[in-house]
Amino acid sequence: MAEQSASPSGDPVHASESEETRKKWDAAAANFDVMAGYGPEKRWEPFKRELFSAMNGGRILFLAIGTGLDIPFWPSGQTITGIDISPKMLEAAKARADAYDGELELVVADVHDLDFPDDHFDQIFTSCTFCSVPRPVDGLRSLLRVLKPGGELKMFEHTGSRFFPFSMMMNLMTPLSRRFGPEMNRRTVDNVRAAGFEIEKVDPVYLDVVKRIHARKPAAG
Ligand SMILES: C[S@@+](CC[C@H](N)C(=O)[O-])C[C@H]1O[C@@H](n2cnc3c(N)ncnc32)[C@H](O)[C@@H]1O
């Protein structure tokens, strides 16, 4: 498993924030499949499979691999770099990664500080990630940098809701949920736009909470 430097930018506040995030998800790794693997994954599988079927044979970045629950939903024969900030999550993903019928490299990396060259990937996929990334707009700008002009960003994400009482419940739950895992009230579609992507389609999966976001890096020139 390759590893990128935790904070190439050298900012100590961001380095300690990354360390906190890494510790939190390392701690969650042992029980993650029990929490996420049997209920939610079964429920979202058809929606994820359909999203991932857009993988088109180019150079693909997948953020964040977690324990690899998404790997069986990928089409075979792709060339994928799978990243996650948590080494323990990636260790737990190893068996699923080894079983993937394609090229898959696992890299420990923080999305805020990616070491990949500019315009490197043809497509980027995310799965239940931007509920967890501490600085979502910065993380998305980092994805924008490594994606080729005109390249696709395809996301399966849960976000906050615009509707009462869900909005209130999610705001109340977030201070607790963020201590152990994700935030429940993120405005991910707005964040994607704020980072500089063009939104092509937002495809609701469950209410206005679980959704697929289809976005693109503006073409050069
Ligand atoms: C809710 S889990 C989702 C895992 C997997 N995508 C799934 O759906 O089963 C969130 C994942 O995001 C990763 N993560 C959180 N912050 C990150 C960051 N800054 N850079 C890279 N990965 C991060 C965590 O380690 C964790 O594996």
Side-chain angles (χ1 to χ4, degrees), residues 103-121:
E103 280 183 45
L104 170 59
E105 184 191 20
L106 297 184
V107 180
V108 179
D110 182 348
V111 68
H112 301 106
D113 284 304
L114 296 177
D115 253 353
F116 305 109
D118 293 356
D119 305 340
H120 187 65
F121 292 100

Side-chain angles (χ1 to χ4, degrees), residues 2-10 18 22 107-110 113-115:
E3 180 147 6
Q4 294 191 350
S5 141
S7 183
S9 63
S18 292
R22 181 182 301 231
V107 180
V108 179
D110 182 348
D113 284 304
L114 296 177
D115 253 353

Side-chain angles (χ1 to χ4, degrees), residues 86-177:
S86 159
K88 292 252 189 292
M89 282 284 193
L90 289 187
E91 271 165 43
K94 193 168 178 319
R96 293 185 180 105
D98 288 347
Y100 177 59
D101 180 16
E103 280 183 45
L104 170 59
E105 184 191 20
L106 297 184
V107 180
V108 179
D110 182 348
V111 68
H112 301 106
D113 284 304
L114 296 177
D115 253 353
F116 305 109
D118 293 356
D119 305 340
H120 187 65
F121 292 100
D122 295 283
Q123 292 181 302
I124 299 179
F125 289 79
T126 75
S127 173
C128 300
T129 304
F130 278 92
C131 52
S132 310
V133 166
R135 287 177 282 123
V137 177
D138 287 349
L140 283 155
R141 284 198 184 113
S142 181
L143 294 185
L144 189 77
R145 179 184 72 73
V146 301
L147 184 61
K148 289 182 180 168
E152 293 174 316
L153 171 67
K154 299 218 171 252
M155 313 173 80
F156 184 94
E157 296 286 343
H158 66 87
T159 68
S161 173
R162 282 174 295 130
F163 300 111
F164 188 83
F166 304 110
S167 49
M168 184 191 68
M169 283 158 51
M170 290 167 144
N171 286 338
L172 289 174
M173 283 157 70
T174 290
L176 183 63
S177 70

Side-chain angles (χ1 to χ4, degrees), residues 77-88:
Q78 305 294 318
T79 302
I80 300 176
T81 303
I83 68 168
D84 201 287
I85 198 169
S86 159
K88 292 252 189 292

Side-chain angles (χ1 to χ4, degrees), residues 64-76:
I65 288 279
T67 60
L69 290 170
D70 292 317
I71 295 173
F73 308 156
W74 298 347
S76 60

Side-chain angles (χ1 to χ4, degrees), residues 144 150-153 189 192-201 213-219:
L144 189 77
E152 293 174 316
L153 171 67
V189 177
V192 171
R193 202 177 282 113
F197 286 95
E198 291 164 355
I199 304 277
E200 297 195 318
K201 188 166 69 161
I213 303 167
H214 305 260
R216 199 177 280 279
K217 176 170 174 173

